Amino acid sequence: MHSSLLLLSILFPIVAGIVVLFLRQSILRKGFIAVVLTVIVLSSLMMLGMLKVPDMFTVPRYYEMLDVAIKIADFVLLLYVIYISFKIKEWKATFFAVLQLVPLIYFEFFMLKEHEMEMFFVDELAIIMNLIISIVGSLIALYAFSYMDHHEEHLHVSPTRQPRFFAIILVFLGAMNGLVFSNNLMWMYFFWEVTTLSSFLLIGHDQTEEAIRNAARALWINMMGGFALLLGIMLIYADYGTISLAEVLKIKEATYILLPMFFIAFAAFTKSAQMPFQSWLLGAMVAPTPVSALLHSSTMVKAGIYVLLRFSPLFKGTLLSDFIALYGAFTFLATAFLAVSQSNAKRILAYSTISNLGLMIASIGINTSSAIAAAILLLIFHAISKALLFLSVGTIEQHIGSRDIEDMKGLINKMPVTTSITFVGILTLMAAPFGMLVSKWLILEVAAGSIAISIILAIGSALTVLYYTRWIGNILSGTYFTKKEQEKMEAPVGISLYGLAGLAVFLSLMIGSLYNMLVMPQIVNMKMDVALKAAKGTLYTSFGGFMVYPIFLTIILGVILGLMSLSKSYREVVKVTPYNAGLNYLEEKSYDVKNYYLTSFATEKDLTKYFNYVSVVLIAVILGGAVL
């Protein structure tokens, strides 16, 4: 029963995606997808309640058949990538596909000695990832129903390309579950590459020149990561004679394990868009908003974090681990600084995503029990809140025709519900007592032993507050509008936005129970001493504690007072121009009052170049930590 449920979570979305390709009638297609998403969510909740983990599961009668199918699909996928890379003339993708194909042939036919093993390795980390993929991914897909209708109408797309779009999303979700649950490392590698191909197809969905160019960049960067992952797996097999994840995690002798760990970490860096690989994720903004939400929040980028977390016990206490922490901290700071110079909301969210992923990687590199706990909590809360913000920006953009936060001034008067949900999304990413800030507090606690990393994390956190509060100031300002100018343009707000906002707040309120139920058992499974404890709304370590409930009560009081103040803005008032040092009488001149984006010294193009140089050096240092 349990093994069949795990198999269902992988194969059912993939098969359903193939079916969707042939559903041309909109109502029938949406109804079918809604049923599929419901099954995906229910199966993830059933696994949460039914599976006793950690454990291994298998369906013996299907193992050999699936193993052969995946081997064949591996080669078909790489050949298809070579075909499309020739078609779009992206020779770097061709190079990395061939670079994978040659060693894969050697490994599969001449090196690997097959033996049957358990199909699935499941622990709390896998359950957490499955819940994120299934619930957040499904809410994003539901949001895409109305969004894609509006999107295609705006672009005058005919005939509709929605069957292909939703088919790829469903295959994507199934592949992510396959990546998370696979015990066979070669299965993990296959599903890793399926997510790469799916992201290419989704980013290039609109088939514009810009979309195809950015999709091609995502393809070759992630194919490079796929080659690194394959190389890491081959080195593990050469040294230890196994491709079973469970057996690899039991390795005690680390003499030969650090070099393959470097290649696996490198693959994680590319998938998680860490510097200097961030350009593929920034380019993904050209895709429809549901794609951005999927890639940036719950699926694609989290695959890298998952893999790094999964193998973190094997490099604990090594120079490799220390250098990974430094690399993640640098990416966190550098991309937070780049986000400060942005006014494009999607670009702010993209840099924020890369920055927070760097923070997770820094936590994994610190590699203490509290740091790993913080990384897992960040993984959860970032997925929810960032998906919420991307969908909010997509809704706003479709109704005001812009994603620039300067054009969102006074939005609270025009789209009060959507603006309030956006405000909740931003607040849950940066303010106490929500899960993201609690996790950052915990990381700062455990990083106290390293002055350099502590300073980097503190400055990066301050910059995060800067670019988010500037956004909040815009959407909540503009109360000088008259009633006539306050004409509402509110968009219908569906279950996706309400659901994600509710999840972000509820899980923050229940962070203690969440930690005790899923995070702490994972720490125990990783053979670590539990330093962080939770009880009655309080998280505490030997350094100190964080009380959740009192701060929540303060937030509620602040919101009530704020709403009372905002209610006064709807009375008739006189609109005046800003004071301009006595120049107000020059009515023929207009003055644009906006935020300062540090463009005089925070030039994105120049800074990115230098930040990339530093990140390349840090990756070389990580390699040095692996071979020393």
Side-chain angles (χ1 to χ4, degrees):
M1 168 62 180
H2 296 163
S3 300
S4 298
L5 195 59
L6 287 161
L7 197 59
L8 177 73
S9 71
I10 301 168
L11 295 182
F12 179 67
I14 294 174
V15 173
I18 295 171
V19 173
V20 166
L21 279 173
F22 302 97
L23 298 179
R24 310 303 301 179
Q25 215 281 331
S26 177
I27 295 177
L28 179 60
R29 181 175 62 249
K30 289 178 180 178
F32 178 77
I33 295 171
V35 172
V36 171
L37 296 175
T38 302
V39 172
I40 292 172
V41 172
L42 290 177
S43 66
S44 68
L45 294 175
M46 288 175 65
M47 283 188 279
L48 172 65
M50 293 172 57
L51 296 184
K52 303 299 180 183
V53 296
D55 205 347
M56 305 183 71
F57 303 89
T58 192
V59 187
R61 63 184 179 275
Y62 294 137
Y63 179 85
E64 186 175 350
M65 177 180 66
L66 285 173
D67 192 49
V68 171
I70 287 176
K71 286 183 191 302
I72 295 172
D74 260 332
F75 291 104
V76 171
L77 187 149
L78 288 174
L79 291 172
Y80 180 67
V81 169
I82 292 172
Y83 163 73
I84 58 177
S85 63
F86 267 95
K87 186 177 179 180
I88 63 176
K89 298 181 180 180
E90 180 49 81
W91 309 121
K92 290 187 286 292
T94 308
F95 172 75
F96 286 113
V98 173
L99 202 61
Q100 287 185 60
L101 188 61
V102 173
L104 184 63
I105 292 171
Y106 172 73
F107 186 61
E108 291 283 15
F109 293 104
F110 302 102
M111 185 176 175
L112 182 62
K113 296 179 180 178
E114 286 293 345
H115 66 278
E116 188 170 313
M117 66 185 74
E118 287 83 356
M119 294 166 63
F120 306 118
F121 178 86
V122 185
D123 59 2
E124 282 81 8
L125 178 59
I127 292 293
I128 288 169
M129 282 295 297
N130 174 248
L131 288 168
I132 292 172
I133 294 160
S134 301
I135 297 175
V136 178
S138 294
L139 288 172
I140 292 170
L142 282 176
Y143 170 87
F145 285 176
S146 59
Y147 181 92
M148 291 307 294
D149 287 341
H150 190 288
H151 182 75
E152 291 194 336
E153 181 182 351
H154 176 70
L155 296 180
H156 309 292
V157 176
S158 182
T160 180
R161 293 198 291 266
Q162 289 190 44
R164 177 180 178 273
F165 178 83
F166 284 103
I168 298 168
I169 284 182
L170 290 175
V171 170
F172 199 18
L173 297 180
M176 277 299 300
N177 283 333
L179 169 66
V180 166
F181 288 134
S182 291
N183 179 56
N184 187 321
L185 294 182
M186 290 306 295
W187 291 21
M188 181 185 289
Y189 160 75
F190 167 70
F191 288 118
W192 178 278
E193 291 298 73
V194 173
T195 64
T196 293
L197 180 60
S198 299
S199 66
F200 163 78
L201 296 172
L202 288 171
I203 295 170
H205 173 75
D206 286 339
Q207 299 179 10
T208 63
E209 183 179 344
E210 183 184 16
I212 293 172
R213 183 175 64 252
N214 289 325
R217 184 191 300 122
L219 182 63
W220 77 258
I221 289 177
N222 282 288
M223 289 300 291
M224 177 170 57
F227 170 68
L229 180 63
L230 176 61
L231 192 56
I233 293 170
M234 290 175 64
L235 288 172
I236 289 173
Y237 183 78
D239 292 330
Y240 299 98
T242 183
I243 54 171
S244 166
L245 175 62
E247 293 178 11
V248 171
L249 293 178
K250 292 176 182 177
I251 293 173
K252 301 294 184 184
E253 175 55 52
T255 304
Y256 303 107
I257 199 66
L258 292 184
L259 186 57
M261 287 302 102
F262 164 77
F263 287 110
I264 289 174
F266 184 91
F269 299 158
T270 60
K271 190 73 83 174
S272 296
Q274 296 298 279
M275 299 192 84
F277 312 113
Q278 75 282 2
S279 59
W280 80 259
L281 196 62
L282 295 169
M285 291 186 305
V286 302
T289 292
V291 175
S292 299
L294 271 175
L295 299 185
H296 287 244
S297 62
S298 62
T299 52
M300 185 77 166
V301 294
K302 295 302 190 300
I305 301 301
Y306 165 77
V307 167
L308 205 57
L309 269 170
R310 174 60 73 208
F311 290 99
S312 61
L314 296 174
F315 53 82
K316 184 178 185 295
T318 65
L319 275 176
L320 175 68
S321 192
D322 295 337
F323 292 148
I324 286 174
L326 183 61
Y327 171 75
F330 171 76
T331 297
F332 172 61
L333 175 61
T335 48
F337 192 75
L338 290 171
V340 170
S341 66
Q342 306 299 313
S343 64
N344 183 310
K346 269 189 147 184
R347 206 161 180 86
I348 292 171
L349 292 178
Y351 274 124
S352 169
T353 294
I354 300 164
S355 182
N356 280 293
L357 293 167
L359 185 59
M360 295 176 211
I361 288 173
S363 303
I364 297 168
I366 293 170
N367 222 339
T368 64
S369 64
S370 295
I372 294 297
I376 296 173
L377 289 171
L378 279 170
L379 183 76
I380 298 168
F381 288 105
H382 178 263
I384 297 169
S385 295
K386 193 56 66 70
L388 172 61
L389 274 181
F390 266 107
L391 299 190
S392 297
V393 169
T395 302
I396 292 168
E397 182 183 8
Q398 284 193 334
H399 285 78
I400 71 171
S402 172
R403 61 179 66 159
D404 195 305
I405 64 172
E406 291 298 323
D407 295 329
M408 298 182 191
K409 287 181 178 177
L411 200 65
I412 186 67
N413 296 310
K414 295 185 177 183
M415 299 176 70
V417 178
T418 305
T419 304
S420 298
I421 291 175
T422 305
F423 174 62
V424 169
I426 297 174
L427 208 62
T428 56
L429 277 171
M430 56 162 279
F434 298 103
M436 285 291 291
L437 190 98
V438 174
S439 305
K440 289 181 180 179
W441 157 78
L442 184 56
I443 295 169
L444 288 170
E445 287 272 14
V446 298
S450 171
I451 295 177
I453 291 180
S454 296
I455 292 174
I456 290 173
L457 295 183
I459 296 173
S461 297
L463 291 172
T464 300
V465 173
L466 173 60
Y467 60 73
Y468 277 138
T469 50
R470 186 169 56 194
W471 190 350
I472 289 174
N474 278 347
I475 62 175
L476 297 185
S477 67
T479 53
Y480 52 79
F481 290 140
T482 64
K483 282 185 177 179
K484 183 178 180 180
E485 291 171 316
Q486 291 172 4
E487 179 183 354
K488 299 293 185 296
M489 54 191 301
E490 187 64 81
V493 179
I495 187 175
S496 297
L497 291 177
Y498 283 127
L500 289 168
L503 271 176
V505 175
F506 175 74
L507 290 181
S508 294
L509 188 62
M510 303 299 294
I511 190 170
S513 300
L514 176 66
Y515 172 78
N516 287 331
M517 181 180 179
L518 289 173
V519 181
M520 186 173 67
Q522 179 63 31
I523 301 299
V524 174
N525 294 339
M526 296 169 74
K527 305 295 188 294
M528 290 178 147
D529 295 329
V530 177
L532 176 67
K533 298 181 180 178
K536 296 181 180 178
T538 302
L539 295 173
Y540 57 92
T541 67
S542 58
F543 296 100
F546 195 105
M547 299 185 70
V548 176
Y549 296 153
I551 305 178
F552 254 111
L553 292 175
T554 305
I555 288 283
I556 292 171
L557 179 62
V559 169
I560 293 173
L561 292 174
L563 290 174
M564 292 172 61
S565 174
L566 282 173
S567 66
K568 299 176 182 179
S569 68
Y570 291 99
R571 68 180 187 273
E572 286 282 358
V573 293
V574 178
K575 178 180 178 180
V576 297
T577 59
Y579 178 70
N580 293 290
L583 299 179
N584 291 40
Y585 71 93
L586 298 174
E587 295 182 1
E588 69 276 8
K589 295 197 68 175
S590 61
Y591 297 90
D592 184 20
V593 180
K594 65 178 183 179
N595 289 289
Y596 177 49
Y597 291 91
L598 310 180
T599 52
S600 58
F601 63 91
T603 308
E604 181 184 16
K605 183 178 179 180
D606 293 337
L607 286 179
T608 298
K609 179 174 64 175
Y610 294 117
F611 287 159
N612 283 343
Y613 291 156
V614 175
S615 62
V616 169
V617 171
L618 288 174
I619 290 175
V621 170
I622 295 172
L623 175 58
V627 298
L628 289 178

